[in-house]
């Protein structure tokens, strides 16, 4: 399911002397084509074949460009239904959120610094309302939604930071941290603990996220489900 019908339309064909059609949807598509990590006004203007002054009529700051792109990414996303018991429902939505951040590197970091599109409000409201229908109090529902969606965004942001290249370090931060844990040590940790830590560092990112999510959902069941 998607949040709204897709706003995508075929690009307009220009006639002789006809100005390029630019609107918020076209800008949002250009933002996603470029990607959040490479996003600049100049890149969007070049992608659309217009001058930067044209963009300023629709987005006055880079944050506004980001917000347009994030909103489209979330509206395009493959979101699950709101049927069934609260536990699999919340798990499905958390996983769908993680997958969307995975598809758009840099997006989770933009949200973390406070660039919030309207579609995030729609998502949070919908899932929280579904939890209330299943016996959660409004406060408990909002806390549960905040926990799982924060976990998804923070996990993706951490993965991207871990996998980012480091100057002068082969393999990036993940490889550097792994080398540190494999180095000889004189601390309190046993070999088994060290091995477990190395498995965590080298684990598939989604599997590690899902393990954390299962712990959080167990806590929600114990502390929040059915609380009035």
């Amino acid at each position: 399911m998607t949040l709204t019908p897709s706003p995508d339309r075929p690009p307009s064909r220009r006639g002789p002397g006809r100005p390029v059609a630019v609107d918020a949807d076209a800008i949002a598509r250009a933002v996603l084509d470029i990607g959040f990590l490479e996003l600049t006004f100049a890149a969007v203007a070049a992608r659309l074949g217009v001058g930067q002054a044209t963009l300023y009529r629709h987005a006055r700051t880079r944050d506004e460009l980001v917000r347009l792109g994030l909103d489209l990414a979330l509206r395009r996303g493959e979101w699950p239904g709101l049927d069934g018991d609260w536990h699999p429902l919340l798990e499905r939505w958390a996983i769908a959120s993680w997958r969307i951040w995975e598809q758009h590197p840099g997006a989770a970091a933009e949200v973390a610094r406070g660039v919030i599109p309207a579609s995030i409000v729609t998502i949070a409201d919908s899932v929280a309302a579904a939890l209330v229908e299943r016996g959660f109090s409004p406060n408990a529902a909002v806390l549960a939604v905040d926990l799982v969606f924060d976990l998804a965004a923070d996990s993706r942001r951490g993965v991207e930071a871990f996998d980012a290249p480091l100057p002068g370090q082969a393999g990036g931060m993940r490889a550097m941290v792994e080398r540190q844990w494999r180095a000889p040590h004189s601390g309190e940790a046993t070999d088994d603990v060290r091995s477990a830590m190395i498995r965590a560092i080298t684990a598939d990112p989604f599997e590690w996220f899902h393990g954390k999510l299962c712990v959080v959902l167990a806590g929600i069941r114990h502390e929040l489900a059915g609380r009035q």
Side-chain angles (χ1 to χ4, degrees):
M1 114 181 192
T2 56
L3 297 182
T4 62
S6 173
D8 294 347
R9 294 186 291 273
S12 301
R13 296 186 179 275
R14 296 179 64 191
R18 182 180 176 184
V20 177
V22 174
D23 57 17
D25 286 343
I27 293 171
R29 290 194 294 272
V31 168
L32 295 188
D33 288 341
I34 293 162
F36 295 101
L37 296 177
E38 306 296 331
L39 182 62
T40 64
F41 267 96
V44 175
R47 182 85 185 183
L48 295 173
V50 301
Q52 292 188 47
T54 300
L55 292 184
Y56 294 141
R57 300 187 195 121
H58 301 276
R60 290 167 293 179
T61 67
R62 184 182 179 279
D63 281 359
E64 291 183 16
L65 290 179
V66 170
R67 191 172 287 107
L68 289 171
L70 286 172
D71 192 64
L72 178 57
L74 292 170
R75 286 188 286 117
R76 275 179 172 178
E78 290 297 322
W79 297 102
L82 291 166
D83 54 308
D85 184 66
W86 73 264
H87 189 288
L89 183 158
L90 196 52
E91 182 177 14
R92 290 194 306 268
W93 279 78
I95 291 171
S97 173
W98 196 94
R99 291 300 189 192
I100 288 172
W101 300 138
E102 180 185 34
Q103 292 166 15
H104 300 283
E110 299 288 1
V111 172
R113 65 183 189 82
V115 185
I116 307 297
S119 47
I120 282 185
V121 178
T122 301
I123 292 166
D125 282 353
S126 298
V127 179
L131 296 186
V132 170
E133 290 176 358
R134 289 155 178 78
F136 283 66
S137 71
N139 285 341
V142 169
L143 180 53
V145 168
D146 190 52
L147 278 168
V148 299
F149 284 124
D150 270 1
L151 175 63
D154 288 346
S155 174
R156 275 308 312 171
R157 191 158 51 97
V159 169
E160 290 170 14
F162 230 34
D163 290 338
L166 288 177
Q169 294 285 345
M173 184 181 296
R174 186 183 301 275
M176 181 191 73
V177 173
E178 181 183 352
R179 287 194 295 270
Q180 289 175 334
W181 253 269
R182 289 188 183 278
H185 59 90
S186 58
E188 296 296 325
T190 64
D191 289 341
D192 287 346
V193 169
R194 278 297 180 100
S195 295
M197 182 62 76
I198 291 167
R199 284 196 297 274
I201 294 166
T202 59
D204 175 82
F206 174 76
E207 290 180 4
W208 192 247
F209 157 71
H210 191 249
K212 291 180 180 179
L213 177 61
C214 290
V215 173
V216 169
L217 290 170
I220 290 171
R221 180 177 294 281
H222 186 267
E223 295 292 333
L224 300 176
R227 293 285 178 92
Q228 298 296 324

